[in-house]
Amino acid sequence: MNDKTFHQLILQLRQLTPSQRHQLQTYFQKADTDQADNLLVEHSLSRCPHCQAAELRPWGSSRNLPRYRCAQCRRTCNPLTGTPLARLRKREQWLRYAQALIDGKTVRQAAADCQINKNTAFLWRHRFLALIAGHQAQRESGIVEADETFFLESFKGQRQLPRKARRRGGVGQTRGTGPDQIPVLVVRDRTGETADFILPRVDAVEISRALKPLVAVDACLCTDGAAVYRAFAHSSGIEHQAVSARRPRVRGAFHIQNVNAYDSRLKTWMIRFHGVATKYLKNYLGWRRLLERYRDLTPEYCLLEAAGRPPQQLIGT
């Protein structure tokens, strides 16, 4: 449809009766619901979410979603069973809400875009991010950069505080590695594979617990001069290159500028939320990794990630 015909159609919409407007709105809501449902069905279950058996049989449909029955455990399921999205309503708004996540909108902005209550928007945010938070690199090789960054401990949303209240997004009593700072270890290799870990403390035990399953034995670990990284590399037999905080900060191919740049983007992106509750910090870290993982993230990809079926073959495309 060309622009002239489209504008003529817009003018004609003004002549619709209230009943016709309602019918048109219902039609578009159904179209949006069908789009989300078709996407979920296309990437539907391959195993029973209850017993993991690959013996699912068609068993009718409910609420516009197909149902299946497991031939082994005899329980029924649908494409959302066992996912954080199960039992959520208003599926016609899910792709629009996924776009709000891509745009990094606040809860109130997302609620206005999707015409839902702000409490619903908050619930959806953390339901959508529950599985996304666990989608991170499982193995990194080549030159692997690691560095820690810190987030101010926050009890945002809680009524009973163990300390005196402060303004959201304010400053703590200490800086750097103080007790009210939450350390996050960020690990990133040169291909862009990223993982992060919320640490109870920065010491050799916690660093080793995070890095040992992640960093390949033949990798080269680039960090700052902290002794905890040197101890881990020595005990694991991994090559280690410590880069001084003073200039020059680059020695040939060895530096930690990629991971530091990622930390900077993460911190800048977090500012819009005026402080993130520590109990939800993991979800926000996963949210940022999601945005970085795709060159061109679409609502469809975002919805599949939230449903626990990330399109791995499309990552990085």
Side-chain angles (χ1 to χ4, degrees):
M1 180 182 296
N2 57 43
D3 290 343
K4 182 178 180 180
T5 305
F6 177 72
H7 288 303
Q8 290 176 348
L9 178 61
I10 294 295
L11 294 175
Q12 291 176 353
L13 291 177
R14 298 177 182 177
Q15 303 173 11
L16 296 177
T17 65
S19 176
Q20 291 171 335
R21 289 175 182 267
H22 178 71
Q23 293 179 34
L24 186 63
Q25 183 180 10
T26 302
Y27 170 81
F28 281 117
Q29 286 180 347
K30 185 178 185 304
D32 289 341
T33 303
D34 290 343
Q35 185 179 1
D37 291 348
N38 292 338
L39 180 67
L40 293 170
V41 170
E42 182 182 351
H43 297 78
S44 193
L45 301 170
S46 59
R47 292 183 175 274
C48 173
H50 305 295
C51 68
Q52 302 303 313
E55 299 182 29
L56 293 178
R57 304 291 185 266
W59 199 257
S61 64
S62 177
R63 298 181 182 273
N64 205 37
L65 286 175
R67 296 177 68 211
Y68 306 94
R69 188 182 189 188
C70 178
Q72 183 167 319
C73 70
R74 314 296 288 177
R75 300 178 68 180
T76 60
C77 60
N78 66 35
L80 295 176
T81 300
T83 74
L85 303 185
R87 302 184 184 277
L88 291 185
R89 301 178 183 273
K90 298 187 176 182
R91 292 200 303 276
E92 70 274 8
Q93 299 292 349
W94 283 5
L95 289 175
R96 189 173 290 110
Y97 190 83
Q99 183 61 55
L101 286 180
I102 295 171
D103 296 337
K105 293 189 175 181
T106 64
V107 166
R108 293 181 184 273
Q109 291 171 340
D113 286 352
C114 300
Q115 299 178 351
I116 57 178
N117 185 273
K118 63 179 178 63
N119 294 334
T120 302
F122 181 80
L123 171 67
W124 282 13
R125 170 179 289 183
H126 294 290
R127 287 286 191 91
F128 271 63
L129 296 176
L131 292 181
I132 290 174
H135 297 165
Q136 65 177 358
Q138 300 299 313
R139 198 68 170 169
E140 297 189 12
S141 57
I143 298 179
V144 179
E145 302 177 22
D147 197 16
E148 66 274 6
T149 187
F150 295 85
F151 291 88
L152 185 61
E153 185 179 34
S154 172
F155 300 96
K156 186 176 180 180
Q158 298 185 29
R159 295 185 180 275
Q160 302 297 327
L161 304 182
R163 51 160 175 76
K164 184 179 179 180
R166 62 167 179 263
R167 289 182 179 274
R168 293 180 179 177
V171 296
Q173 298 179 351
T174 61
R175 298 183 62 184
T177 59
D180 58 351
Q181 300 287 335
I182 306 300
V184 175
L185 174 65
V186 180
V187 188
R188 188 175 174 90
D189 66 18
R190 297 295 169 83
T191 66
E193 291 289 330
T194 306
D196 46 53
F197 307 89
I198 301 175
L199 304 178
R201 56 191 174 277
V202 182
D203 60 19
V205 174
E206 296 299 332
I207 291 293
S208 179
R209 181 176 295 139
L211 293 182
K212 192 168 185 178
L214 177 66
V215 181
V217 178
D218 58 349
C220 176
L221 181 65
C222 286
T223 69
D224 57 20
V228 289
Y229 298 113
R230 184 168 58 252
F232 161 73
H234 178 74
S235 63
S236 303
I238 295 175
E239 180 184 355
H240 179 231
Q241 294 289 337
V243 181
S244 173
R246 300 179 180 179
R247 296 184 182 277
R249 298 173 182 168
V250 178
R251 294 201 319 272
F254 304 121
H255 57 78
I256 56 173
Q257 294 190 0
N258 287 329
V259 71
N260 285 341
Y262 177 86
D263 290 344
S264 178
R265 293 194 299 272
L266 172 63
K267 288 292 190 69
T268 302
W269 176 78
M270 285 276 201
I271 291 174
R272 70 190 69 193
F273 303 115
H274 304 289
V276 171
T278 299
K279 67 177 180 179
Y280 293 125
L281 179 58
K282 180 180 178 181
N283 287 351
Y284 285 86
L285 294 174
W287 186 356
R288 184 61 209 180
R289 287 197 313 273
L290 173 70
L291 299 178
E292 295 265 346
R293 188 156 58 247
Y294 294 87
R295 295 177 185 172
D296 185 16
L297 180 60
T298 66
E300 289 78 11
Y301 293 0
C302 185
L303 181 57
L304 288 175
E305 290 258 2
R309 288 183 282 278
Q312 298 291 345
Q313 70 276 14
L314 299 176
I315 292 178
T317 62

